[in-house]
């Protein structure tokens, strides 16, 4: 736990932009009552949180992102840790909010559908991926995620969109690391098979 | 309690003496995604194609879309309740 003396003093060095500050320094400043420091935390992470919620088809991703950060602001005094653990803590809150939202809306989170990828073939791997990347729409990716189980989808989005490690995802979801690895492997294998079938049909 | 020596001794082969996995040497052609493939895809560094495995380029592209939205999505506007909570006031209607 931080000492009360440390909490009472903003720690921004005078000649350093807040944009470059480590997250822990921004957290210290925000905890000391500096709203601008909190705003910088918001600017740094809110887009990523909104994206995570959007891929989960939250009912109002932008509003929910605001709710997540309101909760972060309220609970900031109890946070301990470094930059990585702040990200993990933030996405724990975002994930729980998403689960609450999903329960509230009581709707099917995903539907299975066609995926709009091209079957362009080329000798160069980079070109193939570039072509596929260019042809993918967000809607098609969202539909593709519908082939995954909720657990698999949680793991893929936390690993890729939230950029969390296996260990962090395991802690967040209350699972063992081995279980998270198995879920991510099955998820990617399932997505790969689905995409292969889509390409074969074209 | 004493453990049986046989299996423990057999398992204690130095890593350097153990044969590497076949797929690591390119000797096995499998039509399934390996754990190594999955780890590399998630790390964004599956640099070499596996011609035996269809859909891999498309999967890499899907993960790239997901990753790019996580990194590049601009923050949504702060709404009035959060602004009030921070003591920043509400945005001007102009």
């Amino acid at each position: 736990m931080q000492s009360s003396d440390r909490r009472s003093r903003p720690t921004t060095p005078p000649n350093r932009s807040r944009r470059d500050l480590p997250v822990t320094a921004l957290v210290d400043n925000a905890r000391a009552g500096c709203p601008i420091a909190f705003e910088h935390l918001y600017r740094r992470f809110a887009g990523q949180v909104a994206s995570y919620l959007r891929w989960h088809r939250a009912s109002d991703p932008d509003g929910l992102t605001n709710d997540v950060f309101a909760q972060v602001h309220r609970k900031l005094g109890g946070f301990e840790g470094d930059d990585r653990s702040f990200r993990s803590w933030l996405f724990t809150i975002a994930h729980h909010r998403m689960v609450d939202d999903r329960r509230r809306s009581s709707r099917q989170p995903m539907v299975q559908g066609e995926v709009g990828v091209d079957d362009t073939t080329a000798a160069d791997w980079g070109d193939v991926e570039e072509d596929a990347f260019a042809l993918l729409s967000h809607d098609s990716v969202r539909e593709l995620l519908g082939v995954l189980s909720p657990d698999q989808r949680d793991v893929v989005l936390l690993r890729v969109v939230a950029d969390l490690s296996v260990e962090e995802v395991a802690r967040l979801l209350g699972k063992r690391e081995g279980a998270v690895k198995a879920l991510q492997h099955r998820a990617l294998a399932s997505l790969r098979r689905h995409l292969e079938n889509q390409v074969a049909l074209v | 309690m004493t453990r049986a020596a046989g299996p423990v001794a057999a398992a204690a082969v130095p890593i350097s003496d153990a044969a590497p996995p076949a797929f690591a040497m390119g000797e096995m052609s499998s039509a399934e995604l390996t754990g190594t493939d999955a780890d590399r895809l998630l790390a964004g560094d599956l640099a070499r194609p596996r011609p035996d495995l269809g859909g891999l380029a498309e999967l890499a592209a899907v993960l790239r879309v997901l990753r790019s939205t996580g990194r590049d999505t601009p923050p949504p506007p702060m709404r009035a309740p959060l602004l009030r909570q921070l003591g920043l006031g509400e945005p001007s209607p102009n």
Side-chain angles (χ1 to χ4, degrees), chain B residues 4-54:
Chain B
V8 174
V13 178
I15 291 174
S16 58
D17 293 344
F23 62 80
M25 299 188 296
E27 291 179 359
M28 185 173 71
S29 178
S30 165
E32 282 302 316
L33 192 79
T34 67
T36 303
D37 291 334
D39 288 343
R40 293 177 65 194
L41 278 163
L42 286 166
D45 82 352
L46 191 63
R48 285 180 52 201
R50 280 187 57 190
D52 59 320
L53 207 56

Side-chain angles (χ1 to χ4, degrees), chain A residues 42 55 66 70 125 130 185 192, chain B residues 31 33 46 54 64 69 76 79:
Chain A
Y42 183 88
W55 285 119
N66 270 257
W125 170 256
E130 283 300 323
H185 183 202
R192 203 274 307 167
Chain B
L33 192 79
L46 191 63
R64 196 172 146 197
T69 60
R79 294 184 179 175

Side-chain angles (χ1 to χ4, degrees), chain A residues 93-166:
Chain A
I93 292 172
H95 181 77
H96 289 156
R97 283 278 176 167
M98 181 276 297
V99 171
D100 289 346
D101 178 74
R102 188 188 283 164
R103 284 187 189 133
R104 263 199 311 272
S105 58
S106 299
R107 58 182 179 152
Q108 293 299 318
M110 297 284 174
V111 291
Q112 193 165 341
E114 298 298 306
V115 181
V117 294
D118 188 28
D119 68 337
T120 307
T121 55
D124 184 88
W125 170 256
D127 287 348
V128 178
E129 188 191 330
E130 283 300 323
D131 289 343
F133 180 73
L135 288 163
L136 278 170
S137 71
H138 285 197
D139 282 348
S140 63
V141 174
R142 196 174 288 117
E143 287 180 359
L144 178 63
L145 292 174
V147 307
L148 302 179
S149 71
D151 275 355
Q152 290 173 349
R153 195 162 47 239
D154 287 346
V155 167
V156 168
L157 293 178
L158 286 168
R159 291 280 283 123
V160 181
V161 179
D163 200 21
L164 298 183
S165 67
V166 168

